Amino acid sequence: MHNSLMSRLDFLFNSTPEIRRAQWRGLNTSAVLIYFIIAVNTLTLDALYWSFAPLELLIVPTLIFVGLSTYRSFVWLRYRHVDLPDERISGVLRVVTLIAGFLGVGYSSWAIALIPYGTEAHQGHLIVFVTLTALAMSYLIVIVPTAAFVALASVMIPMIMFLALQPSVVSQALAGNLVVIGSMIVVAQILLFRQFYNAVVSRQEILDKHEELMRLSDENQRLANEDSLTGLPNRRRFFSYLQRSDIPPEGMMIGILDLDGFKQINDVYGHTIGDRLLVEVSRRMRENFSEALLIARLGGDEFGIICGGKRSSEEVLAGANKALASICGTIKLGDIDLRPSASVGFARLKPEHQSAVTALEHADIALYNAKQSARGDIVVYSADLETSTRERFVIEQKLREADLENELFVVLQPIIDTRTAQVASFEVLGRWKNPVLGMVPPNLFIVAAERASISARVTDVLFAKALRAMAELPETTRISFNLSAHDVTSADAALHLSRLAANAGIAAGRITFEITETSLMGDFDAGQAALNTLRREGFKISLDDFGTGFSSLSYVRHLPLDTIKIDRSFVTGIEHDDIKMRKIMKAVIDLCGELGVSCVVEGVETAEQLQAVTSLGAELIQGYYFAAPMPVHKLGTYLASLDEGYARATAASAS
């Protein structure tokens, strides 16, 4: 029973910070009124007993009660609009309780001291007056139950005890009446405080729910605009920022950064390492690209950049280069050291004739060109860049739609053995003639085929035509055929080409497959395995465009090569006594001799160039000096002319 009652009255003692703040606000309103009542009642009692009680019994209490009330009123007025910390409020509430007890005891003691003076009417008025003062005090501070109880008890208990001890039945009856009234007032105070308590708790619950809803709303807003992995603004935030009206378009530059080879990192090391790499890249971008107004993750390994204000193009690009350099530095993730690369496309917003979205499209075009031809670098959009991009796009689309069997064809360019003046082999070169576009240069349509993921189909058609051309040539004739990056790095593609040659009845030893250094950069190990497969099948392997890549000697060391072709760039100008170029050419020719592989010099176009390279020891020559690439139907005539020339030369030497 006792425990049940205490649990039901627990709210009286369960003072929370919210309750204390509400009590503080309530006292700010009622405290001055309480002190006003005390001061007025004190002066009223003085007037009532002025003719009956000793002056010292009137003046001293009056000075104490009125002085204290006045002082405390000024204190409350001073702090009525101040939000005190919780510790200060707790101290104030304790002071209120102490002052309530002091005033109650003092007021009741003063009243009892005055009772012997005056008439019976005065005594009755005194008891009622003091009782009403106590009731008013306890009611006005009911929101602080301890202070209210102390105020009521400190006045009522002494008064009840005094009346109960009087011989008069009326006094005793009045004491009993005060007991009943006091008890009822205590119950009423408890009920009033419970209402106050519940109101504060309910209000706080509403505020807490509102705050939680606001927090959830803010969190949802943050999640809706922030990338959960990197903490950068996300795609939505990026586009929202672009559309803001308060961003001055003058000088704004928009960029897109894309990591190179990120898919391979995910495939080799797993998505956890990939995610950690993205986090580190994001951090380095934030720290090193202070010129950016906003850096966002647009999705995957693609990041958006907005630069503006008074930054010049040079400043923005300098900041972008700094950020790019930091990204491309070594990133250590546990036991794994990565050196990622990234490509960036930038475009400047021209507010007089374009929107931010258009500028973003231009940045995407610049990024596309960076990925295609300047991987790991920054490309800035220009109108010429867009024109060439659109042309490449048209080529790619037409290639997808093309009748490859009818539109693709091959031409052959001879490789001459200068020792015999005869053809050592023919290089097969693919050509494409489209009904709409006309002749499309090989450097454009081969790249377009790789972008469109149809390079395998193009290879099949061209290789089949090359095999058919070989069927019309003497059995001693050899060809070299260029492989795409897809062909080089696929063991299945290598076996497929081998089957095509076997089905055509062409011996593998008559075919040399040419590869470039760049075609192996995507996956060297897979390329090495595919080339070993071709070599085991009896095909020859040639490294084309030697010297234009990054790791030529490494490739020579690790690949199963039969021939090295020196790029035409080494031939240009060699006839003009370019000593450095001659030394390089000589070193490569000698290297081939040491390694036991053939050496073909490409791009010889003049007699002077021919004389220069042969003087350095070159024996196999390819170039326009001997013949331009020719269609299959002219091969017979060309070979016959070579035989006639060789026969005349032989007869002349014999005579």
Side-chain angles (χ1 to χ4, degrees), residues 435-454:
V436 177
L437 302 177
M439 290 296 299
V440 181
N443 62 313
L444 294 182
F445 83 78
I446 294 299
V447 174
E450 292 179 353
R451 287 198 306 267
S453 300
I454 58 173

Side-chain angles (χ1 to χ4, degrees), residues 112 115-116 123 127 158-175:
I112 291 172
I115 283 179
Q123 294 173 354
I127 294 171
M159 188 62 65
I160 290 169
M161 292 178 63
F162 176 78
L163 292 173
L165 294 174
Q166 297 302 313
S168 170
V169 174
V170 174
S171 297
Q172 294 173 356
L174 185 57

Side-chain angles (χ1 to χ4, degrees), residues 49 115 119-131 174:
Y49 277 89
I115 283 179
T119 65
E120 289 185 3
H122 283 81
Q123 294 173 354
H125 285 133
L126 177 64
I127 294 171
V128 172
F129 205 74
V130 171
T131 303
L174 185 57

Side-chain angles (χ1 to χ4, degrees), residues 140-168:
L140 289 173
I141 56 174
V142 70
I143 57 174
V144 186
T146 52
F149 295 155
V150 166
L152 186 65
S154 60
V155 173
M156 298 289 282
I157 291 175
M159 188 62 65
I160 290 169
M161 292 178 63
F162 176 78
L163 292 173
L165 294 174
Q166 297 302 313
S168 170

Side-chain angles (χ1 to χ4, degrees), residues 446 450 455 459 482-490 493 515-516 518-523 526-527 530:
I446 294 299
E450 292 179 353
S455 58
T459 297
N482 293 280
L483 296 181
S484 69
H486 171 269
D487 303 322
V488 173
T489 56
S490 170
I515 62 167
T516 62
T518 53
S519 67
L520 292 164
M521 291 179 65
D523 192 337

